[in-house]
Amino acid sequence: MNGPALYELPSAPASWRVALPHTAAAVPVARALVRTALAELEHGADRDTAELLTAELVANAVEHTSGETPIELVVELRPSGCQVEVHDTDPKPPGDLTCPSGGLPDPWQEHGRGLLLIRTLSSSCGHRPTESGKAVWFRLPVVPAQRRSSA
């Protein structure tokens, strides 16, 4: 490669799989886990966006599935970016994650923007069936060091 490197890529993929309680308490725990994973490995994906979208996925899993079975958070850090998945026991696909319907959410409502945020801010997103339900996921690319904030 000629010239300076634009950004450094992690040398190898790393991943975590964590069971979280099927309660609202899982949301801040999931946010902290994603932020810590990205920070400790000095990964180049946008931490704020990863944390926000993870919170949306976990909150949706808790709110829209029933039972007490834990949900699972899976974080994969790859040289090209990160992928976050949330596994739950409901096989039903998540609303309009990959196929938007209708117009924009009502700005006066407290709910209804999570899937829009995930679609808009991720590089890709989707869902897939699992043996015990489904996994809903998003991906974020590595951001070049020159474009990252120094915060």
Side-chain angles (χ1 to χ4, degrees), residues 69-119:
T69 304
I71 58 175
E72 276 191 318
L73 174 68
V74 179
V75 180
E76 293 183 23
L77 303 183
R78 304 168 178 165
S80 60
C82 75
Q83 177 168 309
V84 175
E85 289 186 348
V86 173
H87 295 235
D88 64 50
T89 58
D90 184 358
K92 182 178 163 198
D96 57 357
L97 178 63
T98 57
C99 193
S101 61
L104 294 174
D106 183 342
W108 300 105
Q109 296 297 314
E110 286 186 29
H111 301 289
R113 294 186 242 357
L115 297 179
L116 174 64
L117 284 171
I118 293 166
R119 277 196 320 271

mmCIF file of all heavy atoms in Angstrom, residues 69-119:
data_model
loop_
_atom_site.group_PDB
_atom_site.id
_atom_site.type_symbol
_atom_site.label_atom_id
_atom_site.label_comp_id
_atom_site.label_asym_id
_atom_site.label_seq_id
_atom_site.Cartn_x
_atom_site.Cartn_y
_atom_site.Cartn_z
ATOM 1 N N THR A 69 -38.407 -16.264 28.819
ATOM 2 C CA THR A 69 -37.183 -16.809 28.241
ATOM 3 C C THR A 69 -36.225 -15.660 27.942
ATOM 4 O O THR A 69 -36.622 -14.664 27.330
ATOM 5 C CB THR A 69 -37.489 -17.574 26.935
ATOM 6 O OG1 THR A 69 -38.455 -18.581 27.226
ATOM 7 C CG2 THR A 69 -36.247 -18.201 26.359
ATOM 8 N N PRO A 70 -34.970 -15.782 28.362
ATOM 9 C CA PRO A 70 -34.014 -14.707 28.076
ATOM 10 C C PRO A 70 -33.890 -14.451 26.575
ATOM 11 O O PRO A 70 -34.098 -15.345 25.757
ATOM 12 C CB PRO A 70 -32.692 -15.234 28.643
ATOM 13 C CG PRO A 70 -33.089 -16.273 29.635
ATOM 14 C CD PRO A 70 -34.362 -16.871 29.117
ATOM 15 N N ILE A 71 -33.536 -13.222 26.241
ATOM 16 C CA ILE A 71 -33.182 -12.899 24.866
ATOM 17 C C ILE A 71 -31.662 -12.967 24.791
ATOM 18 O O ILE A 71 -30.983 -12.940 25.819
ATOM 19 C CB ILE A 71 -33.713 -11.508 24.451
ATOM 20 C CG1 ILE A 71 -33.184 -10.420 25.369
ATOM 21 C CG2 ILE A 71 -35.222 -11.495 24.423
ATOM 22 C CD1 ILE A 71 -33.563 -9.031 24.949
ATOM 23 N N GLU A 72 -31.141 -13.101 23.590
ATOM 24 C CA GLU A 72 -29.696 -13.185 23.441
ATOM 25 C C GLU A 72 -29.182 -12.030 22.598
ATOM 26 O O GLU A 72 -29.791 -11.677 21.583
ATOM 27 C CB GLU A 72 -29.285 -14.485 22.751
ATOM 28 C CG GLU A 72 -29.169 -15.649 23.666
ATOM 29 C CD GLU A 72 -28.511 -16.831 22.974
ATOM 30 O OE1 GLU A 72 -28.849 -17.093 21.805
ATOM 31 O OE2 GLU A 72 -27.683 -17.479 23.603
ATOM 32 N N LEU A 73 -28.074 -11.482 23.036
ATOM 33 C CA LEU A 73 -27.373 -10.437 22.290
ATOM 34 C C LEU A 73 -26.115 -11.070 21.718
ATOM 35 O O LEU A 73 -25.341 -11.688 22.449
ATOM 36 C CB LEU A 73 -27.006 -9.276 23.220
ATOM 37 C CG LEU A 73 -26.141 -8.182 22.617
ATOM 38 C CD1 LEU A 73 -26.925 -7.401 21.558
ATOM 39 C CD2 LEU A 73 -25.649 -7.244 23.713
ATOM 40 N N VAL A 74 -25.928 -10.934 20.403
ATOM 41 C CA VAL A 74 -24.734 -11.449 19.742
ATOM 42 C C VAL A 74 -24.046 -10.270 19.066
ATOM 43 O O VAL A 74 -24.664 -9.562 18.257
ATOM 44 C CB VAL A 74 -25.083 -12.534 18.691
ATOM 45 C CG1 VAL A 74 -23.827 -13.038 18.004
ATOM 46 C CG2 VAL A 74 -25.844 -13.668 19.349
ATOM 47 N N VAL A 75 -22.791 -10.047 19.407
ATOM 48 C CA VAL A 75 -22.006 -8.946 18.834
ATOM 49 C C VAL A 75 -20.816 -9.559 18.107
ATOM 50 O O VAL A 75 -20.056 -10.328 18.701
ATOM 51 C CB VAL A 75 -21.505 -7.984 19.937
ATOM 52 C CG1 VAL A 75 -20.694 -6.847 19.328
ATOM 53 C CG2 VAL A 75 -22.667 -7.454 20.754
ATOM 54 N N GLU A 76 -20.673 -9.238 16.840
ATOM 55 C CA GLU A 76 -19.539 -9.700 16.046
ATOM 56 C C GLU A 76 -18.792 -8.494 15.516
ATOM 57 O O GLU A 76 -19.376 -7.645 14.835
ATOM 58 C CB GLU A 76 -20.007 -10.560 14.880
ATOM 59 C CG GLU A 76 -20.613 -11.877 15.293
ATOM 60 C CD GLU A 76 -20.997 -12.735 14.097
ATOM 61 O OE1 GLU A 76 -20.426 -12.540 13.004
ATOM 62 O OE2 GLU A 76 -21.879 -13.585 14.280
ATOM 63 N N LEU A 77 -17.516 -8.421 15.846
ATOM 64 C CA LEU A 77 -16.657 -7.351 15.340
ATOM 65 C C LEU A 77 -15.774 -7.948 14.256
ATOM 66 O O LEU A 77 -15.029 -8.890 14.505
ATOM 67 C CB LEU A 77 -15.813 -6.768 16.473
ATOM 68 C CG LEU A 77 -16.599 -6.235 17.669
ATOM 69 C CD1 LEU A 77 -15.656 -5.625 18.690
ATOM 70 C CD2 LEU A 77 -17.648 -5.239 17.237
ATOM 71 N N ARG A 78 -15.906 -7.401 13.064
ATOM 72 C CA ARG A 78 -15.172 -7.890 11.894
ATOM 73 C C ARG A 78 -14.284 -6.773 11.378
ATOM 74 O O ARG A 78 -14.525 -5.598 11.670
ATOM 75 C CB ARG A 78 -16.165 -8.291 10.807
ATOM 76 C CG ARG A 78 -17.170 -9.320 11.267
ATOM 77 C CD ARG A 78 -18.276 -9.457 10.252
ATOM 78 N NE ARG A 78 -19.227 -10.474 10.663
ATOM 79 C CZ ARG A 78 -20.419 -10.618 10.146
ATOM 80 N NH1 ARG A 78 -20.823 -9.807 9.183
ATOM 81 N NH2 ARG A 78 -21.227 -11.560 10.573
ATOM 82 N N PRO A 79 -13.293 -7.112 10.566
ATOM 83 C CA PRO A 79 -12.453 -6.054 10.007
ATOM 84 C C PRO A 79 -13.244 -5.003 9.226
ATOM 85 O O PRO A 79 -12.881 -3.838 9.209
ATOM 86 C CB PRO A 79 -11.488 -6.815 9.084
ATOM 87 C CG PRO A 79 -11.404 -8.172 9.694
ATOM 88 C CD PRO A 79 -12.787 -8.437 10.240
ATOM 89 N N SER A 80 -14.352 -5.388 8.616
ATOM 90 C CA SER A 80 -15.131 -4.455 7.808
ATOM 91 C C SER A 80 -16.185 -3.683 8.600
ATOM 92 O O SER A 80 -16.751 -2.718 8.103
ATOM 93 C CB SER A 80 -15.829 -5.212 6.676
ATOM 94 O OG SER A 80 -16.695 -6.195 7.232
ATOM 95 N N GLY A 81 -16.466 -4.105 9.827
ATOM 96 C CA GLY A 81 -17.482 -3.440 10.629
ATOM 97 C C GLY A 81 -17.990 -4.334 11.736
ATOM 98 O O GLY A 81 -17.331 -5.295 12.116
ATOM 99 N N CYS A 82 -19.170 -4.031 12.234
ATOM 100 C CA CYS A 82 -19.740 -4.860 13.296
ATOM 101 C C CYS A 82 -21.142 -5.295 12.909
ATOM 102 O O CYS A 82 -21.816 -4.635 12.118
ATOM 103 C CB CYS A 82 -19.756 -4.125 14.632
ATOM 104 S SG CYS A 82 -21.004 -2.848 14.808
ATOM 105 N N GLN A 83 -21.544 -6.430 13.470
ATOM 106 C CA GLN A 83 -22.910 -6.910 13.311
ATOM 107 C C GLN A 83 -23.435 -7.205 14.704
ATOM 108 O O GLN A 83 -22.759 -7.837 15.509
ATOM 109 C CB GLN A 83 -22.986 -8.168 12.452
ATOM 110 C CG GLN A 83 -24.419 -8.701 12.349
ATOM 111 C CD GLN A 83 -24.589 -9.762 11.299
ATOM 112 O OE1 GLN A 83 -24.186 -9.584 10.158
ATOM 113 N NE2 GLN A 83 -25.198 -10.866 11.681
ATOM 114 N N VAL A 84 -24.641 -6.736 14.969
ATOM 115 C CA VAL A 84 -25.305 -6.986 16.243
ATOM 116 C C VAL A 84 -26.607 -7.706 15.939
ATOM 117 O O VAL A 84 -27.353 -7.292 15.047
ATOM 118 C CB VAL A 84 -25.584 -5.662 17.000
ATOM 119 C CG1 VAL A 84 -26.377 -5.919 18.269
ATOM 120 C CG2 VAL A 84 -24.278 -4.946 17.310
ATOM 121 N N GLU A 85 -26.849 -8.798 16.669
ATOM 122 C CA GLU A 85 -28.081 -9.568 16.524
ATOM 123 C C GLU A 85 -28.750 -9.671 17.884
ATOM 124 O O GLU A 85 -28.072 -9.773 18.905
ATOM 125 C CB GLU A 85 -27.806 -11.005 16.080
ATOM 126 C CG GLU A 85 -27.337 -11.169 14.688
ATOM 127 C CD GLU A 85 -27.225 -12.642 14.300
ATOM 128 O OE1 GLU A 85 -27.286 -13.542 15.167
ATOM 129 O OE2 GLU A 85 -27.067 -12.871 13.095
ATOM 130 N N VAL A 86 -30.074 -9.698 17.870
ATOM 131 C CA VAL A 86 -30.843 -9.992 19.067
ATOM 132 C C VAL A 86 -31.745 -11.167 18.729
ATOM 133 O O VAL A 86 -32.496 -11.127 17.755
ATOM 134 C CB VAL A 86 -31.663 -8.769 19.538
ATOM 135 C CG1 VAL A 86 -32.585 -9.152 20.687
ATOM 136 C CG2 VAL A 86 -30.720 -7.651 19.969
ATOM 137 N N HIS A 87 -31.640 -12.217 19.534
ATOM 138 C CA HIS A 87 -32.420 -13.437 19.344
ATOM 139 C C HIS A 87 -33.563 -13.465 20.350
ATOM 140 O O HIS A 87 -33.353 -13.171 21.532
ATOM 141 C CB HIS A 87 -31.543 -14.674 19.570
ATOM 142 C CG HIS A 87 -30.443 -14.821 18.581
ATOM 143 N ND1 HIS A 87 -30.271 -15.959 17.842
ATOM 144 C CD2 HIS A 87 -29.444 -13.979 18.204
ATOM 145 C CE1 HIS A 87 -29.220 -15.823 17.052
ATOM 146 N NE2 HIS A 87 -28.701 -14.618 17.262
ATOM 147 N N ASP A 88 -34.762 -13.806 19.873
ATOM 148 C CA ASP A 88 -35.899 -13.993 20.766
ATOM 149 C C ASP A 88 -36.662 -15.236 20.343
ATOM 150 O O ASP A 88 -36.312 -15.866 19.348
ATOM 151 C CB ASP A 88 -36.793 -12.744 20.825
ATOM 152 C CG ASP A 88 -37.448 -12.401 19.499
ATOM 153 O OD1 ASP A 88 -38.055 -13.299 18.877
ATOM 154 O OD2 ASP A 88 -37.373 -11.233 19.076
ATOM 155 N N THR A 89 -37.699 -15.585 21.102
ATOM 156 C CA THR A 89 -38.419 -16.843 20.856
ATOM 157 C C THR A 89 -39.625 -16.710 19.935
ATOM 158 O O THR A 89 -40.268 -17.708 19.641
ATOM 159 C CB THR A 89 -38.877 -17.456 22.192
ATOM 160 O OG1 THR A 89 -39.710 -16.508 22.858
ATOM 161 C CG2 THR A 89 -37.695 -17.818 23.068
ATOM 162 N N ASP A 90 -39.923 -15.510 19.468
ATOM 163 C CA ASP A 90 -41.075 -15.313 18.590
ATOM 164 C C ASP A 90 -40.633 -15.437 17.130
ATOM 165 O O ASP A 90 -39.808 -14.645 16.669
ATOM 166 C CB ASP A 90 -41.678 -13.932 18.837
ATOM 167 C CG ASP A 90 -42.946 -13.685 18.042
ATOM 168 O OD1 ASP A 90 -43.356 -14.566 17.248
ATOM 169 O OD2 ASP A 90 -43.544 -12.611 18.216
ATOM 170 N N PRO A 91 -41.164 -16.398 16.384
ATOM 171 C CA PRO A 91 -40.735 -16.561 14.986
ATOM 172 C C PRO A 91 -41.282 -15.494 14.036
ATOM 173 O O PRO A 91 -40.819 -15.362 12.907
ATOM 174 C CB PRO A 91 -41.276 -17.945 14.609
ATOM 175 C CG PRO A 91 -42.437 -18.153 15.517
ATOM 176 C CD PRO A 91 -42.120 -17.423 16.792
ATOM 177 N N LYS A 92 -42.252 -14.693 14.489
ATOM 178 C CA LYS A 92 -42.875 -13.684 13.632
ATOM 179 C C LYS A 92 -41.856 -12.594 13.256
ATOM 180 O O LYS A 92 -41.186 -12.037 14.117
ATOM 181 C CB LYS A 92 -44.057 -13.065 14.375
ATOM 182 C CG LYS A 92 -44.811 -12.046 13.589
ATOM 183 C CD LYS A 92 -45.987 -11.520 14.394
ATOM 184 C CE LYS A 92 -46.494 -10.229 13.805
ATOM 185 N NZ LYS A 92 -47.304 -9.495 14.754
ATOM 186 N N PRO A 93 -41.753 -12.262 11.962
ATOM 187 C CA PRO A 93 -40.819 -11.204 11.528
ATOM 188 C C PRO A 93 -41.156 -9.857 12.168
ATOM 189 O O PRO A 93 -42.314 -9.578 12.475
ATOM 190 C CB PRO A 93 -41.028 -11.131 10.014
ATOM 191 C CG PRO A 93 -41.635 -12.425 9.642
ATOM 192 C CD PRO A 93 -42.448 -12.859 10.827
ATOM 193 N N PRO A 94 -40.149 -9.019 12.348
ATOM 194 C CA PRO A 94 -40.365 -7.715 12.971
ATOM 195 C C PRO A 94 -40.981 -6.709 12.009
ATOM 196 O O PRO A 94 -40.359 -6.335 11.027
ATOM 197 C CB PRO A 94 -38.965 -7.285 13.382
ATOM 198 C CG PRO A 94 -38.077 -7.964 12.403
ATOM 199 C CD PRO A 94 -38.754 -9.258 12.054
ATOM 200 N N GLY A 95 -42.173 -6.293 12.262
ATOM 201 C CA GLY A 95 -42.855 -5.229 11.528
ATOM 202 C C GLY A 95 -42.325 -4.908 10.158
ATOM 203 O O GLY A 95 -42.241 -5.756 9.283
ATOM 204 N N ASP A 96 -41.961 -3.669 9.969
ATOM 205 C CA ASP A 96 -41.529 -3.184 8.663
ATOM 206 C C ASP A 96 -40.023 -2.915 8.631
ATOM 207 O O ASP A 96 -39.573 -1.927 8.089
ATOM 208 C CB ASP A 96 -42.321 -1.942 8.270
ATOM 209 C CG ASP A 96 -42.204 -0.818 9.283
ATOM 210 O OD1 ASP A 96 -41.551 -1.008 10.325
ATOM 211 O OD2 ASP A 96 -42.755 0.258 9.037
ATOM 212 N N LEU A 97 -39.242 -3.837 9.191
ATOM 213 C CA LEU A 97 -37.792 -3.636 9.231
ATOM 214 C C LEU A 97 -37.188 -3.582 7.834
ATOM 215 O O LEU A 97 -36.442 -2.672 7.510
ATOM 216 C CB LEU A 97 -37.125 -4.751 10.049
ATOM 217 C CG LEU A 97 -35.600 -4.678 10.137
ATOM 218 C CD1 LEU A 97 -35.162 -3.406 10.840
ATOM 219 C CD2 LEU A 97 -35.055 -5.889 10.856
ATOM 220 N N THR A 98 -37.507 -4.545 7.015
ATOM 221 C CA THR A 98 -36.889 -4.593 5.691
ATOM 222 C C THR A 98 -37.838 -4.196 4.565
ATOM 223 O O THR A 98 -37.415 -4.016 3.440
ATOM 224 C CB THR A 98 -36.339 -6.003 5.398
ATOM 225 O OG1 THR A 98 -37.398 -6.939 5.521
ATOM 226 C CG2 THR A 98 -35.224 -6.361 6.350
ATOM 227 N N CYS A 99 -39.098 -4.049 4.873
ATOM 228 C CA CYS A 99 -40.084 -3.700 3.857
ATOM 229 C C CYS A 99 -41.003 -2.629 4.438
ATOM 230 O O CYS A 99 -42.081 -2.930 4.948
ATOM 231 C CB CYS A 99 -40.868 -4.944 3.455
ATOM 232 S SG CYS A 99 -41.839 -4.710 1.980
ATOM 233 N N PRO A 100 -40.566 -1.359 4.417
ATOM 234 C CA PRO A 100 -41.357 -0.299 5.044
ATOM 235 C C PRO A 100 -42.757 -0.187 4.453
ATOM 236 O O PRO A 100 -42.952 -0.346 3.260
ATOM 237 C CB PRO A 100 -40.562 0.971 4.785
ATOM 238 C CG PRO A 100 -39.412 0.612 3.946
ATOM 239 C CD PRO A 100 -39.405 -0.869 3.730
ATOM 240 N N SER A 101 -43.698 0.085 5.321
ATOM 241 C CA SER A 101 -45.074 0.279 4.873
ATOM 242 C C SER A 101 -45.588 1.593 5.432
ATOM 243 O O SER A 101 -45.199 2.008 6.515
ATOM 244 C CB SER A 101 -45.962 -0.877 5.345
ATOM 245 O OG SER A 101 -45.962 -0.930 6.747
ATOM 246 N N GLY A 102 -46.442 2.225 4.690
ATOM 247 C CA GLY A 102 -47.017 3.482 5.167
ATOM 248 C C GLY A 102 -46.022 4.620 5.130
ATOM 249 O O GLY A 102 -44.943 4.525 4.574
ATOM 250 N N GLY A 103 -46.404 5.708 5.772
ATOM 251 C CA GLY A 103 -45.567 6.903 5.794
ATOM 252 C C GLY A 103 -44.664 6.940 7.002
ATOM 253 O O GLY A 103 -44.376 5.930 7.628
ATOM 254 N N LEU A 104 -44.238 8.127 7.324
ATOM 255 C CA LEU A 104 -43.368 8.329 8.472
ATOM 256 C C LEU A 104 -44.151 8.170 9.767
ATOM 257 O O LEU A 104 -45.350 8.420 9.806
ATOM 258 C CB LEU A 104 -42.748 9.727 8.416
ATOM 259 C CG LEU A 104 -41.793 9.973 7.252
ATOM 260 C CD1 LEU A 104 -41.361 11.425 7.233
ATOM 261 C CD2 LEU A 104 -40.589 9.056 7.344
ATOM 262 N N PRO A 105 -43.463 7.771 10.848
ATOM 263 C CA PRO A 105 -44.155 7.639 12.132
ATOM 264 C C PRO A 105 -44.679 8.992 12.613
ATOM 265 O O PRO A 105 -44.148 10.046 12.267
ATOM 266 C CB PRO A 105 -43.072 7.127 13.081
ATOM 267 C CG PRO A 105 -41.914 6.760 12.245
ATOM 268 C CD PRO A 105 -42.071 7.413 10.915
ATOM 269 N N ASP A 106 -45.719 8.952 13.410
ATOM 270 C CA ASP A 106 -46.301 10.158 13.992
ATOM 271 C C ASP A 106 -45.291 10.779 14.957
ATOM 272 O O ASP A 106 -44.857 10.126 15.914
ATOM 273 C CB ASP A 106 -47.592 9.783 14.741
ATOM 274 C CG ASP A 106 -48.303 10.974 15.329
ATOM 275 O OD1 ASP A 106 -47.689 12.054 15.477
ATOM 276 O OD2 ASP A 106 -49.494 10.826 15.658
ATOM 277 N N PRO A 107 -44.866 12.025 14.737
ATOM 278 C CA PRO A 107 -43.844 12.637 15.598
ATOM 279 C C PRO A 107 -44.315 12.851 17.035
ATOM 280 O O PRO A 107 -43.502 13.077 17.921
ATOM 281 C CB PRO A 107 -43.536 13.968 14.907
ATOM 282 C CG PRO A 107 -44.714 14.257 14.065
ATOM 283 C CD PRO A 107 -45.301 12.932 13.678
ATOM 284 N N TRP A 108 -45.606 12.768 17.289
ATOM 285 C CA TRP A 108 -46.139 12.992 18.629
ATOM 286 C C TRP A 108 -46.251 11.712 19.441
ATOM 287 O O TRP A 108 -46.555 11.749 20.625
ATOM 288 C CB TRP A 108 -47.495 13.697 18.547
ATOM 289 C CG TRP A 108 -47.366 15.019 17.875
ATOM 290 C CD1 TRP A 108 -47.751 15.329 16.605
ATOM 291 C CD2 TRP A 108 -46.758 16.193 18.397
ATOM 292 N NE1 TRP A 108 -47.436 16.625 16.304
ATOM 293 C CE2 TRP A 108 -46.823 17.185 17.396
ATOM 294 C CE3 TRP A 108 -46.156 16.515 19.611
ATOM 295 C CZ2 TRP A 108 -46.312 18.461 17.574
ATOM 296 C CZ3 TRP A 108 -45.652 17.796 19.781
ATOM 297 C CH2 TRP A 108 -45.735 18.747 18.775
ATOM 298 N N GLN A 109 -46.011 10.572 18.811
ATOM 299 C CA GLN A 109 -46.094 9.298 19.510
ATOM 300 C C GLN A 109 -44.741 8.929 20.121
ATOM 301 O O GLN A 109 -43.693 9.263 19.578
ATOM 302 C CB GLN A 109 -46.537 8.182 18.550
ATOM 303 C CG GLN A 109 -47.921 8.370 17.996
ATOM 304 C CD GLN A 109 -48.982 8.351 19.091
ATOM 305 O OE1 GLN A 109 -48.969 7.490 19.953
ATOM 306 N NE2 GLN A 109 -49.876 9.320 19.059
ATOM 307 N N GLU A 110 -44.787 8.233 21.261
ATOM 308 C CA GLU A 110 -43.552 7.787 21.913
ATOM 309 C C GLU A 110 -42.922 6.601 21.205
ATOM 310 O O GLU A 110 -41.731 6.376 21.304
ATOM 311 C CB GLU A 110 -43.840 7.394 23.362
ATOM 312 C CG GLU A 110 -44.068 8.569 24.272
ATOM 313 C CD GLU A 110 -44.192 8.121 25.711
ATOM 314 O OE1 GLU A 110 -43.598 7.101 26.090
ATOM 315 O OE2 GLU A 110 -44.898 8.807 26.458
ATOM 316 N N HIS A 111 -43.720 5.795 20.518
ATOM 317 C CA HIS A 111 -43.228 4.573 19.891
ATOM 318 C C HIS A 111 -43.351 4.668 18.370
ATOM 319 O O HIS A 111 -43.996 5.553 17.846
ATOM 320 C CB HIS A 111 -44.040 3.371 20.383
ATOM 321 C CG HIS A 111 -43.984 3.194 21.868
ATOM 322 N ND1 HIS A 111 -42.857 2.774 22.512
ATOM 323 C CD2 HIS A 111 -44.911 3.406 22.826
ATOM 324 C CE1 HIS A 111 -43.091 2.717 23.813
ATOM 325 N NE2 HIS A 111 -44.325 3.109 24.025
ATOM 326 N N GLY A 112 -42.688 3.731 17.695
ATOM 327 C CA GLY A 112 -42.878 3.641 16.253
ATOM 328 C C GLY A 112 -41.709 4.093 15.409
ATOM 329 O O GLY A 112 -41.780 4.065 14.191
ATOM 330 N N ARG A 113 -40.590 4.515 16.034
ATOM 331 C CA ARG A 113 -39.454 4.980 15.249
ATOM 332 C C ARG A 113 -38.263 4.027 15.260
ATOM 333 O O ARG A 113 -37.299 4.223 14.547
ATOM 334 C CB ARG A 113 -38.994 6.335 15.746
ATOM 335 C CG ARG A 113 -40.009 7.437 15.511
ATOM 336 C CD ARG A 113 -39.457 8.759 15.886
ATOM 337 N NE ARG A 113 -40.023 9.569 16.922
ATOM 338 C CZ ARG A 113 -41.084 9.403 17.674
ATOM 339 N NH1 ARG A 113 -41.782 8.346 17.562
ATOM 340 N NH2 ARG A 113 -41.470 10.275 18.557
ATOM 341 N N GLY A 114 -38.312 2.987 16.074
ATOM 342 C CA GLY A 114 -37.163 2.097 16.232
ATOM 343 C C GLY A 114 -36.718 1.431 14.949
ATOM 344 O O GLY A 114 -35.541 1.463 14.593
ATOM 345 N N LEU A 115 -37.661 0.828 14.230
ATOM 346 C CA LEU A 115 -37.291 0.142 12.993
ATOM 347 C C LEU A 115 -36.838 1.134 11.924
ATOM 348 O O LEU A 115 -35.940 0.840 11.130
ATOM 349 C CB LEU A 115 -38.446 -0.717 12.488
ATOM 350 C CG LEU A 115 -38.861 -1.866 13.420
ATOM 351 C CD1 LEU A 115 -40.034 -2.639 12.819
ATOM 352 C CD2 LEU A 115 -37.702 -2.789 13.724
ATOM 353 N N LEU A 116 -37.440 2.319 11.913
ATOM 354 C CA LEU A 116 -37.006 3.367 10.984
ATOM 355 C C LEU A 116 -35.556 3.762 11.272
ATOM 356 O O LEU A 116 -34.751 3.903 10.351
ATOM 357 C CB LEU A 116 -37.922 4.593 11.092
ATOM 358 C CG LEU A 116 -37.507 5.826 10.278
ATOM 359 C CD1 LEU A 116 -37.545 5.518 8.788
ATOM 360 C CD2 LEU A 116 -38.402 7.007 10.607
ATOM 361 N N LEU A 117 -35.220 3.922 12.545
ATOM 362 C CA LEU A 117 -33.835 4.250 12.914
ATOM 363 C C LEU A 117 -32.875 3.156 12.458
ATOM 364 O O LEU A 117 -31.810 3.438 11.903
ATOM 365 C CB LEU A 117 -33.709 4.432 14.430
ATOM 366 C CG LEU A 117 -34.247 5.727 15.011
ATOM 367 C CD1 LEU A 117 -34.242 5.662 16.528
ATOM 368 C CD2 LEU A 117 -33.421 6.902 14.522
ATOM 369 N N ILE A 118 -33.253 1.912 12.697
ATOM 370 C CA ILE A 118 -32.383 0.802 12.317
ATOM 371 C C ILE A 118 -32.183 0.777 10.803
ATOM 372 O O ILE A 118 -31.057 0.662 10.320
ATOM 373 C CB ILE A 118 -32.949 -0.536 12.846
ATOM 374 C CG1 ILE A 118 -32.893 -0.549 14.376
ATOM 375 C CG2 ILE A 118 -32.182 -1.719 12.259
ATOM 376 C CD1 ILE A 118 -33.716 -1.635 15.025
ATOM 377 N N ARG A 119 -33.265 0.915 10.036
ATOM 378 C CA ARG A 119 -33.163 0.929 8.566
ATOM 379 C C ARG A 119 -32.301 2.085 8.083
ATOM 380 O O ARG A 119 -31.510 1.948 7.157
ATOM 381 C CB ARG A 119 -34.544 1.067 7.928
ATOM 382 C CG ARG A 119 -35.327 -0.186 7.779
ATOM 383 C CD ARG A 119 -36.498 -0.020 6.811
ATOM 384 N NE ARG A 119 -37.218 1.229 6.898
ATOM 385 C CZ ARG A 119 -38.260 1.465 7.686
ATOM 386 N NH1 ARG A 119 -38.714 0.510 8.480
ATOM 387 N NH2 ARG A 119 -38.870 2.620 7.685
#
